[in-house]
Amino acid sequence: MNRGWTDPAVSQTDTIQQLVAREILDSRGRPTVEVEVHCHSGAWGRASVPSGASTGQFEAHERRDGDPSRHDGLGVRRAVDAVLHELAPVCRGLDPSHQEELDDRLRACDGTPHKSRLGANALLGVSLAAARAAAAAQGIPLVQHLFRLWRGIAAPESAPSATSPDSPGSGLRFEPRLGRQLLMPLPMVNMISGGLHAGRNLDLQDWLILPVGAGSYHQALDWIVLVYRRLGTVLTERGLEASLVGDEGGYGPRVADNEIPLKLIVEAIERAGLRPGDDVALGLDVASTHFFRDGTYHLAAGKGQTLSSAGMAELLESWVDRYPLISIEDGCADDDWAGWRHLTQRLATRVQLIGDDLFVTNPGRIREGIQRQCANSVLIKLNQIGTLTETLQALRLTLAAGYRPVVSARSGETEDDLLADLAVATGAGQIKIGSIVRSERLAKYNQLLRLEEQLGDRAGWLGRGLFSAPTP
Ligand code: 2PG
Ligand code: MG
């Protein structure tokens, strides 16, 4: 790759001639949409669409056939038809590099707030394949094209400022380089899975590690693999199941309560010869919406616990006190705004509090959360909102408020690796792909290795800088 990146003039590059779409299978063996965008010049791009298991109620709609005679109703032939018969006509003749215009047309064609008529899976397949086709038409790497699109996304007119003293993120220093340059993302990696991703043995969904002390992306990856292997040994020695893995490749051990995985992972970090906290810190995706009923959090593991929102915050704080835990996702449920506010007041100066089900990558909900001073970080998932442009807008809004974005895959993935280019191009700083095994995950980790090599000094690495000590 040309390190100097000659930026071809943004002019008419090519026009879309034809769309191809098909039903393929994702990493859980469930149908998903794949789209090809073909241009008149012969340039083309292909993309496939991920799918969640712990989907938030406010996400864009994923269209499934509902025909019980095929894939238990999970087929996506109707979404494929929507691409071929409704979206293709509105895309034809359009320059694929005009992403905003293309995505506007896709949304207008669907015509519903949550993309429920044609399906966000249909729209996203087209949106992402068009980005790939545009890169091909210009003869530039995808990461370069995405970087250009990212720079073209305007900052929102009003958002609480990053430096505002009452910003919930103000206790954790906001890294000013986020979103401003190409960055290799710090991976947040699943080690142990529970919840909807691993047979509900445990209540929480992900116990993760963040290799904050690594000096580069490739060193971070080396450490992650080592900790994962050592964790396998720790589990085997304790007679815990170390061969079954969850949907994202994390171990799914049968342990007695939700705290034990924290201890096991700390031990694995030490066995890897690394320092818990300094080299490798811990993260959680509590995914608490899935055990929140009637205003109460129902934890089933161990002796079982029924907690109020305040009780939930207390439990999480006790873990922050005792473990090198620096990131907590969905510590409260997606409609528990009061709980979120309390959790934020209590912990936002100490840890990253990520909203996933809470925000669903939706600029409207992110704005509401910022105004209500909930969380200090936003999980960014393409298929929660359904087009590339809206995803980039959600990212802009996140950064403009001084919140940190974490670009994320879904539990159902394909071998598509666009997410890696997206994370680097937007300078999001962090990425969450799942665990370090299974090729739908490795497709992205390995693409990041290539990007690191190809981009060299052009792509920065923040590592621990993302989580520096609270400012006094
Ligand atoms: C999450 C994601 C990815 P899912 O909750 O953060 O781990 O899971 O894709 O099932 O929503
Ligand atoms: Mg989540």
Short mmCIF file of all heavy atoms in Angstrom, two decimals, residues 129-182:
data_model
loop_
_atom_site.label_atom_id
_atom_site.label_comp_id
_atom_site.label_asym_id
_atom_site.label_seq_id
_atom_site.Cartn_x
_atom_site.Cartn_y
_atom_site.Cartn_z
N ALA A 129 -21.68 -3.34 0.87
CA ALA A 129 -21.13 -3.80 -0.42
C ALA A 129 -20.83 -2.60 -1.32
O ALA A 129 -19.85 -2.61 -2.08
CB ALA A 129 -22.12 -4.75 -1.10
N ALA A 130 -21.63 -1.55 -1.19
CA ALA A 130 -21.38 -0.35 -1.99
C ALA A 130 -20.06 0.30 -1.58
O ALA A 130 -19.30 0.78 -2.43
CB ALA A 130 -22.53 0.64 -1.83
N ALA A 131 -19.77 0.30 -0.28
CA ALA A 131 -18.50 0.88 0.18
C ALA A 131 -17.32 0.11 -0.41
O ALA A 131 -16.33 0.69 -0.86
CB ALA A 131 -18.44 0.87 1.71
N ARG A 132 -17.46 -1.20 -0.43
CA ARG A 132 -16.38 -2.01 -1.01
C ARG A 132 -16.25 -1.76 -2.52
O ARG A 132 -15.15 -1.67 -3.06
CB ARG A 132 -16.65 -3.49 -0.77
CG ARG A 132 -16.23 -3.98 0.57
CD ARG A 132 -15.44 -5.30 0.44
NE ARG A 132 -14.76 -5.62 1.68
CZ ARG A 132 -15.35 -6.23 2.71
NH1 ARG A 132 -16.60 -6.60 2.62
NH2 ARG A 132 -14.66 -6.48 3.79
N ALA A 133 -17.40 -1.66 -3.18
CA ALA A 133 -17.37 -1.41 -4.63
C ALA A 133 -16.74 -0.05 -4.92
O ALA A 133 -15.98 0.12 -5.88
CB ALA A 133 -18.79 -1.46 -5.20
N ALA A 134 -17.05 0.93 -4.06
CA ALA A 134 -16.50 2.28 -4.26
C ALA A 134 -14.98 2.27 -4.12
O ALA A 134 -14.27 2.92 -4.89
CB ALA A 134 -17.12 3.25 -3.26
N ALA A 135 -14.48 1.54 -3.12
CA ALA A 135 -13.02 1.44 -2.95
C ALA A 135 -12.41 0.80 -4.19
O ALA A 135 -11.40 1.28 -4.72
CB ALA A 135 -12.70 0.64 -1.70
N ALA A 136 -13.04 -0.27 -4.65
CA ALA A 136 -12.51 -0.97 -5.83
C ALA A 136 -12.55 -0.05 -7.06
O ALA A 136 -11.60 0.00 -7.85
CB ALA A 136 -13.32 -2.23 -6.09
N ALA A 137 -13.64 0.69 -7.21
CA ALA A 137 -13.77 1.57 -8.38
C ALA A 137 -12.69 2.65 -8.38
O ALA A 137 -12.20 3.05 -9.43
CB ALA A 137 -15.16 2.22 -8.37
N GLN A 138 -12.31 3.11 -7.18
CA GLN A 138 -11.27 4.15 -7.09
C GLN A 138 -9.87 3.56 -7.06
O GLN A 138 -8.88 4.30 -7.05
CB GLN A 138 -11.48 4.98 -5.82
CG GLN A 138 -12.79 5.75 -5.80
CD GLN A 138 -13.10 6.27 -4.41
OE1 GLN A 138 -12.67 7.34 -4.03
NE2 GLN A 138 -13.82 5.48 -3.64
N GLY A 139 -9.79 2.24 -6.94
CA GLY A 139 -8.48 1.59 -6.87
C GLY A 139 -7.75 1.91 -5.58
O GLY A 139 -6.52 1.99 -5.56
N ILE A 140 -8.50 2.10 -4.50
CA ILE A 140 -7.85 2.38 -3.22
C ILE A 140 -8.27 1.34 -2.19
O ILE A 140 -9.31 0.69 -2.33
CB ILE A 140 -8.20 3.80 -2.69
CG1 ILE A 140 -9.71 3.96 -2.46
CG2 ILE A 140 -7.66 4.87 -3.63
CD1 ILE A 140 -10.10 5.29 -1.82
N PRO A 141 -7.46 1.17 -1.12
CA PRO A 141 -7.84 0.20 -0.08
C PRO A 141 -9.13 0.63 0.61
O PRO A 141 -9.40 1.84 0.74
CB PRO A 141 -6.67 0.25 0.91
CG PRO A 141 -5.56 0.93 0.19
CD PRO A 141 -6.17 1.83 -0.83
N LEU A 142 -9.87 -0.36 1.10
CA LEU A 142 -11.13 -0.06 1.79
C LEU A 142 -10.92 0.90 2.95
O LEU A 142 -11.70 1.83 3.16
CB LEU A 142 -11.76 -1.37 2.30
CG LEU A 142 -13.06 -1.22 3.06
CD1 LEU A 142 -14.17 -0.67 2.17
CD2 LEU A 142 -13.49 -2.56 3.67
N VAL A 143 -9.83 0.69 3.70
CA VAL A 143 -9.60 1.53 4.88
C VAL A 143 -9.45 3.00 4.47
O VAL A 143 -9.92 3.91 5.16
CB VAL A 143 -8.37 1.02 5.69
CG1 VAL A 143 -7.07 1.21 4.94
CG2 VAL A 143 -8.32 1.66 7.06
N GLN A 144 -8.86 3.22 3.33
CA GLN A 144 -8.68 4.60 2.86
C GLN A 144 -10.02 5.21 2.44
O GLN A 144 -10.31 6.37 2.74
CB GLN A 144 -7.69 4.62 1.68
CG GLN A 144 -7.36 6.02 1.22
CD GLN A 144 -6.37 6.05 0.07
OE1 GLN A 144 -5.85 4.99 -0.33
NE2 GLN A 144 -6.11 7.21 -0.48
N HIS A 145 -10.82 4.41 1.79
CA HIS A 145 -12.15 4.91 1.39
C HIS A 145 -12.99 5.21 2.64
O HIS A 145 -13.66 6.25 2.71
CB HIS A 145 -12.84 3.89 0.49
CG HIS A 145 -14.24 4.27 0.13
ND1 HIS A 145 -14.54 5.43 -0.56
CD2 HIS A 145 -15.43 3.68 0.41
CE1 HIS A 145 -15.85 5.53 -0.70
NE2 HIS A 145 -16.41 4.49 -0.13
N LEU A 146 -12.95 4.30 3.61
CA LEU A 146 -13.74 4.52 4.83
C LEU A 146 -13.24 5.74 5.59
O LEU A 146 -14.02 6.49 6.18
CB LEU A 146 -13.69 3.27 5.73
CG LEU A 146 -14.40 2.04 5.18
CD1 LEU A 146 -14.18 0.83 6.11
CD2 LEU A 146 -15.91 2.28 5.01
N PHE A 147 -11.94 5.96 5.57
CA PHE A 147 -11.35 7.14 6.24
C PHE A 147 -11.89 8.42 5.59
O PHE A 147 -12.25 9.38 6.26
CB PHE A 147 -9.82 7.07 6.12
CG PHE A 147 -9.08 8.17 6.83
CD1 PHE A 147 -9.28 8.40 8.18
CD2 PHE A 147 -8.16 8.95 6.14
CE1 PHE A 147 -8.58 9.41 8.84
CE2 PHE A 147 -7.46 9.96 6.79
CZ PHE A 147 -7.67 10.19 8.15
N ARG A 148 -11.98 8.39 4.30
CA ARG A 148 -12.51 9.55 3.59
C ARG A 148 -13.98 9.78 3.92
O ARG A 148 -14.42 10.90 4.18
CB ARG A 148 -12.34 9.37 2.08
CG ARG A 148 -12.95 10.52 1.31
CD ARG A 148 -13.00 10.21 -0.15
NE ARG A 148 -11.69 10.28 -0.74
CZ ARG A 148 -11.43 9.84 -1.97
NH1 ARG A 148 -12.37 9.27 -2.69
NH2 ARG A 148 -10.23 9.94 -2.47
N LEU A 149 -14.75 8.69 3.92
CA LEU A 149 -16.18 8.83 4.29
C LEU A 149 -16.31 9.38 5.70
O LEU A 149 -17.14 10.26 5.97
CB LEU A 149 -16.89 7.47 4.21
CG LEU A 149 -17.10 6.84 2.85
CD1 LEU A 149 -17.82 5.50 3.00
CD2 LEU A 149 -17.90 7.76 1.92
N TRP A 150 -15.49 8.87 6.59
CA TRP A 150 -15.53 9.29 7.99
C TRP A 150 -15.25 10.80 8.12
O TRP A 150 -15.94 11.51 8.83
CB TRP A 150 -14.51 8.47 8.78
CG TRP A 150 -14.26 8.92 10.19
CD1 TRP A 150 -13.06 9.28 10.72
CD2 TRP A 150 -15.22 9.04 11.26
NE1 TRP A 150 -13.20 9.63 12.04
CE2 TRP A 150 -14.52 9.48 12.39
CE3 TRP A 150 -16.59 8.82 11.35
CZ2 TRP A 150 -15.14 9.72 13.62
CZ3 TRP A 150 -17.22 9.06 12.58
CH2 TRP A 150 -16.50 9.50 13.69
N ARG A 151 -14.26 11.27 7.38
CA ARG A 151 -13.94 12.71 7.45
C ARG A 151 -15.08 13.56 6.91
O ARG A 151 -15.22 14.72 7.24
CB ARG A 151 -12.64 13.01 6.69
CG ARG A 151 -11.40 12.66 7.51
CD ARG A 151 -10.15 12.98 6.75
NE ARG A 151 -10.13 12.29 5.46
CZ ARG A 151 -9.25 12.51 4.51
NH1 ARG A 151 -8.32 13.42 4.66
NH2 ARG A 151 -9.30 11.83 3.38
N GLY A 152 -15.89 12.96 6.04
CA GLY A 152 -17.00 13.71 5.45
C GLY A 152 -18.24 13.77 6.32
O GLY A 152 -19.21 14.45 5.99
N ILE A 153 -18.23 13.06 7.44
CA ILE A 153 -19.41 13.04 8.32
C ILE A 153 -19.33 14.24 9.27
O ILE A 153 -18.41 14.34 10.08
CB ILE A 153 -19.47 11.72 9.14
CG1 ILE A 153 -19.61 10.52 8.21
CG2 ILE A 153 -20.61 11.76 10.17
CD1 ILE A 153 -20.95 10.34 7.54
N ALA A 154 -20.30 15.11 9.15
CA ALA A 154 -20.26 16.35 9.95
C ALA A 154 -20.53 16.05 11.42
O ALA A 154 -21.27 15.13 11.76
CB ALA A 154 -21.33 17.30 9.41
N ALA A 155 -19.90 16.86 12.28
CA ALA A 155 -20.18 16.75 13.72
C ALA A 155 -21.60 17.24 13.96
O ALA A 155 -22.08 18.14 13.27
CB ALA A 155 -19.18 17.60 14.50
N PRO A 156 -22.28 16.66 14.93
CA PRO A 156 -23.65 17.10 15.20
C PRO A 156 -23.68 18.55 15.67
O PRO A 156 -22.71 19.02 16.28
CB PRO A 156 -24.11 16.15 16.31
CG PRO A 156 -22.88 15.60 16.89
CD PRO A 156 -21.83 15.62 15.83
N GLU A 157 -24.77 19.23 15.40
CA GLU A 157 -24.83 20.65 15.74
C GLU A 157 -24.80 20.89 17.24
O GLU A 157 -24.19 21.83 17.72
CB GLU A 157 -26.10 21.28 15.14
CG GLU A 157 -25.85 21.69 13.71
CD GLU A 157 -27.11 22.02 12.96
OE1 GLU A 157 -28.11 22.34 13.62
OE2 GLU A 157 -27.08 21.93 11.72
N SER A 158 -25.46 20.03 18.00
CA SER A 158 -25.42 20.22 19.45
C SER A 158 -25.20 18.89 20.14
O SER A 158 -25.89 17.92 19.87
CB SER A 158 -26.73 20.83 19.93
OG SER A 158 -27.78 19.92 19.67
N ALA A 159 -24.21 18.85 20.98
CA ALA A 159 -23.95 17.69 21.82
C ALA A 159 -23.15 18.19 23.00
O ALA A 159 -22.35 19.11 22.84
CB ALA A 159 -23.16 16.62 21.06
N PRO A 160 -23.37 17.63 24.19
CA PRO A 160 -22.58 18.07 25.34
C PRO A 160 -21.09 17.96 25.01
O PRO A 160 -20.68 17.01 24.35
CB PRO A 160 -22.97 17.08 26.44
CG PRO A 160 -24.23 16.46 25.99
CD PRO A 160 -24.26 16.54 24.50
N SER A 161 -20.31 18.90 25.45
CA SER A 161 -18.91 18.93 25.05
C SER A 161 -18.08 17.94 25.87
O SER A 161 -18.39 17.65 27.02
CB SER A 161 -18.37 20.34 25.20
OG SER A 161 -17.29 20.34 26.07
N ALA A 162 -17.01 17.47 25.25
CA ALA A 162 -16.12 16.52 25.91
C ALA A 162 -15.51 17.11 27.16
O ALA A 162 -15.18 16.39 28.09
CB ALA A 162 -15.02 16.10 24.95
N THR A 163 -15.35 18.41 27.19
CA THR A 163 -14.66 19.03 28.32
C THR A 163 -15.65 19.55 29.36
O THR A 163 -15.24 20.08 30.38
CB THR A 163 -13.82 20.21 27.82
OG1 THR A 163 -14.67 21.04 27.03
CG2 THR A 163 -12.65 19.75 27.00
N SER A 164 -16.94 19.38 29.08
CA SER A 164 -17.93 19.87 30.03
C SER A 164 -17.70 19.22 31.40
O SER A 164 -17.56 18.01 31.49
CB SER A 164 -19.33 19.55 29.49
OG SER A 164 -20.16 19.09 30.50
N PRO A 165 -17.66 20.02 32.47
CA PRO A 165 -17.33 19.45 33.77
C PRO A 165 -18.35 18.43 34.25
O PRO A 165 -18.04 17.56 35.04
CB PRO A 165 -17.29 20.67 34.70
CG PRO A 165 -17.97 21.78 33.97
CD PRO A 165 -17.90 21.46 32.52
N ASP A 166 -19.58 18.52 33.76
CA ASP A 166 -20.57 17.55 34.23
C ASP A 166 -20.74 16.38 33.27
O ASP A 166 -21.63 15.58 33.40
CB ASP A 166 -21.92 18.22 34.50
CG ASP A 166 -22.47 18.92 33.26
OD1 ASP A 166 -21.77 18.90 32.23
OD2 ASP A 166 -23.57 19.48 33.34
N SER A 167 -19.84 16.30 32.30
CA SER A 167 -19.89 15.14 31.41
C SER A 167 -19.56 13.89 32.21
O SER A 167 -18.60 13.86 32.97
CB SER A 167 -18.89 15.32 30.27
OG SER A 167 -18.57 14.08 29.73
N PRO A 168 -20.37 12.82 32.08
CA PRO A 168 -20.10 11.63 32.86
C PRO A 168 -18.73 11.04 32.58
O PRO A 168 -18.17 10.33 33.39
CB PRO A 168 -21.19 10.65 32.44
CG PRO A 168 -22.12 11.37 31.57
CD PRO A 168 -21.53 12.68 31.20
N GLY A 169 -18.21 11.33 31.41
CA GLY A 169 -16.89 10.77 31.09
C GLY A 169 -15.76 11.60 31.61
O GLY A 169 -14.60 11.27 31.42
N SER A 170 -16.06 12.71 32.30
CA SER A 170 -15.00 13.65 32.61
C SER A 170 -13.98 13.10 33.60
O SER A 170 -12.86 13.56 33.65
CB SER A 170 -15.59 14.96 33.14
OG SER A 170 -16.31 14.69 34.32
N GLY A 171 -14.37 12.12 34.40
CA GLY A 171 -13.42 11.55 35.34
C GLY A 171 -12.38 10.69 34.67
O GLY A 171 -11.25 10.59 35.13
N LEU A 172 -12.74 10.07 33.57
CA LEU A 172 -11.76 9.32 32.79
C LEU A 172 -11.29 10.25 31.70
O LEU A 172 -12.11 10.78 30.97
CB LEU A 172 -12.41 8.10 32.14
CG LEU A 172 -12.74 6.89 33.00
CD1 LEU A 172 -13.51 5.89 32.17
CD2 LEU A 172 -11.48 6.26 33.53
N ARG A 173 -9.99 10.42 31.59
CA ARG A 173 -9.50 11.37 30.60
C ARG A 173 -9.96 10.97 29.21
O ARG A 173 -9.87 9.81 28.82
CB ARG A 173 -7.97 11.41 30.64
CG ARG A 173 -7.36 12.54 29.84
CD ARG A 173 -5.89 12.61 30.18
NE ARG A 173 -5.13 11.54 29.54
CZ ARG A 173 -4.64 11.62 28.31
NH1 ARG A 173 -4.84 12.70 27.58
NH2 ARG A 173 -3.96 10.63 27.80
N PHE A 174 -10.49 11.94 28.47
CA PHE A 174 -10.89 11.64 27.10
C PHE A 174 -9.68 11.82 26.20
O PHE A 174 -9.01 12.85 26.23
CB PHE A 174 -12.02 12.57 26.65
CG PHE A 174 -12.49 12.27 25.27
CD1 PHE A 174 -13.31 11.18 25.03
CD2 PHE A 174 -12.09 13.05 24.20
CE1 PHE A 174 -13.74 10.88 23.74
CE2 PHE A 174 -12.50 12.75 22.90
CZ PHE A 174 -13.33 11.66 22.69
N GLU A 175 -9.35 10.82 25.43
CA GLU A 175 -8.17 10.85 24.57
C GLU A 175 -8.49 11.67 23.31
O GLU A 175 -9.34 11.28 22.51
CB GLU A 175 -7.80 9.40 24.23
CG GLU A 175 -6.81 9.23 23.13
CD GLU A 175 -5.54 10.02 23.34
OE1 GLU A 175 -4.86 9.79 24.36
OE2 GLU A 175 -5.24 10.87 22.47
N PRO A 176 -7.83 12.83 23.16
CA PRO A 176 -8.21 13.73 22.06
C PRO A 176 -7.92 13.19 20.66
O PRO A 176 -8.48 13.68 19.69
CB PRO A 176 -7.38 14.99 22.33
CG PRO A 176 -6.30 14.58 23.25
CD PRO A 176 -6.78 13.39 24.01
N ARG A 177 -7.07 12.17 20.57
CA ARG A 177 -6.79 11.65 19.22
C ARG A 177 -7.91 10.75 18.69
O ARG A 177 -7.95 10.42 17.51
CB ARG A 177 -5.46 10.88 19.21
CG ARG A 177 -4.25 11.80 19.12
CD ARG A 177 -2.97 11.03 19.30
NE ARG A 177 -2.85 10.52 20.67
CZ ARG A 177 -1.86 9.76 21.10
NH1 ARG A 177 -0.91 9.39 20.28
NH2 ARG A 177 -1.81 9.36 22.35
N LEU A 178 -8.80 10.33 19.58
CA LEU A 178 -9.90 9.46 19.11
C LEU A 178 -10.67 10.13 17.99
O LEU A 178 -11.06 11.29 18.09
CB LEU A 178 -10.86 9.14 20.26
CG LEU A 178 -10.38 8.16 21.33
CD1 LEU A 178 -11.44 8.00 22.41
CD2 LEU A 178 -10.05 6.81 20.72
N GLY A 179 -10.87 9.39 16.92
CA GLY A 179 -11.68 9.89 15.81
C GLY A 179 -10.95 10.86 14.90
O GLY A 179 -11.50 11.29 13.89
N ARG A 180 -9.72 11.22 15.26
CA ARG A 180 -9.03 12.25 14.47
C ARG A 180 -7.94 11.69 13.57
O ARG A 180 -7.40 12.39 12.74
CB ARG A 180 -8.39 13.28 15.40
CG ARG A 180 -9.40 14.10 16.15
CD ARG A 180 -8.72 15.19 16.95
NE ARG A 180 -9.68 15.86 17.78
CZ ARG A 180 -10.45 16.87 17.38
NH1 ARG A 180 -10.34 17.33 16.16
NH2 ARG A 180 -11.31 17.41 18.21
N GLN A 181 -7.56 10.47 13.78
CA GLN A 181 -6.52 9.88 12.94
C GLN A 181 -6.75 8.37 12.85
O GLN A 181 -7.53 7.81 13.62
CB GLN A 181 -5.14 10.17 13.53
CG GLN A 181 -4.92 9.52 14.88
CD GLN A 181 -3.46 9.54 15.31
OE1 GLN A 181 -3.03 10.46 15.99
NE2 GLN A 181 -2.71 8.53 14.90
N LEU A 182 -6.05 7.74 11.94
CA LEU A 182 -6.12 6.29 11.87
C LEU A 182 -5.53 5.72 13.15
O LEU A 182 -4.45 6.13 13.58
CB LEU A 182 -5.29 5.77 10.68
CG LEU A 182 -5.70 6.22 9.28
CD1 LEU A 182 -4.64 5.81 8.26
CD2 LEU A 182 -7.05 5.62 8.90
#
